Amino acid sequence: PPAPVAHTLALGSATSANTFFVKTGYPDAAAASDAVRRFRTLAEYEAVSRYGRLPNSLTGLGVNWDIAANANGKLVVTRDLAALFEFFLSSHTEEGLETSLGRIEEYLRGSLPPTAADEAQGIVRAYLAYKQGLTRFEASSEGSLSGKGGADLMVTVGDIKAAMNQRAAARRQFLGSEVADAFFKDDEAYDAYTIGRLEAQANPSL
């Protein structure tokens, strides 16, 4: 896998834009003079997209992503950024991966100032590389959580736990700790809770 990408990011909650065209309050005079388009609905995005209407699987869905930059023009990374990636990537079987990635770039560059959009594009590439290698971290399907023996169940839970730990490490290797935490912290907390329950159920001494 590639070396971790060094992102200069501002983590936290982004402020949703209330207008279709907004002026960004950047100290840079050139940046401040540029209007940034904010898409309130998918229809507004489709109206200006060079790819035209969204595929059928995405038509009619309501989205409200919190995508923004801070006052210095740096990307604010939130879980919504990963949701945006997944939304457009989910249609790659209908439109092709190239078009799905093109839509992501188009949406980001239409919603963010140039510096933040460039940072987001770097994260897209790292995110896709992570997703493409994700099957390496899936637990073995040879075991079964419904097995009769507690020992067999414990082995299976151990395999799942190891796969989850490897996947968490891969996220940080591909995305960096800050982005991985913003995207997956809640998921990983729930995974740890679930594994704890399974380990307790599989322990015959409890």
Side-chain angles (χ1 to χ4, degrees):
V5 180
H7 304 294
T8 303
L9 305 169
L11 299 176
S13 298
T15 302
S16 298
N18 295 319
T19 57
F20 189 39
F21 287 94
V22 297
K23 293 289 185 177
T24 53
Y26 302 115
D28 186 301
S33 66
D34 294 333
V36 178
R37 180 188 294 270
R38 302 298 175 111
F39 303 110
R40 293 174 298 185
T41 66
L42 288 177
E44 288 181 347
Y45 160 71
E46 288 179 300
V48 299
S49 173
R50 67 180 180 273
Y51 299 104
R53 289 181 57 82
L54 290 165
N56 291 335
S57 63
L58 303 182
T59 299
L61 298 179
V63 297
N64 185 27
W65 297 306
D66 211 8
I67 308 299
N70 65 13
N72 295 317
K74 298 296 184 181
L75 180 67
V76 177
V77 178
T78 67
R79 189 180 175 92
D80 282 357
L81 191 62
L84 184 153
F85 297 166
E86 286 292 344
F87 177 84
F88 287 111
L89 289 174
S90 68
S91 66
H92 77 275
T93 55
E94 296 175 77
E95 295 192 297
L97 183 59
E98 184 177 350
T99 297
S100 296
L101 291 173
R103 284 191 182 277
I104 293 174
E105 180 176 9
E106 187 178 60
Y107 197 99
L108 291 172
R109 296 202 180 281
S111 303
L112 295 167
T115 298
D118 288 343
E119 291 178 31
Q121 276 298 109
I123 296 175
V124 170
R125 291 189 290 270
Y127 185 80
L128 183 62
Y130 158 72
K131 293 283 287 185
Q132 289 174 333
L134 194 59
T135 54
R136 293 184 298 146
F137 308 107
E138 296 300 327
S140 171
S141 60
E142 295 179 0
S144 172
L145 289 179
S146 60
K148 295 180 180 179
D152 292 339
L153 178 58
M154 201 63 169
V155 170
T156 304
V157 172
D159 291 342
I160 295 174
K161 185 176 182 179
M164 287 181 174
N165 289 337
Q166 290 173 345
R167 184 169 55 194
R171 289 166 175 166
R172 283 150 185 82
Q173 181 178 6
F174 281 95
L175 299 170
S177 296
E178 294 85 358
V179 176
D181 285 345
F183 283 7
F184 301 109
K185 186 177 181 180
D186 291 343
D187 293 336
E188 290 172 353
Y190 186 76
D191 286 346
Y193 166 78
T194 303
I195 284 295
R197 284 181 58 90
L198 291 173
E199 287 178 327
Q201 292 170 359
N203 191 336
S205 67
L206 296 179

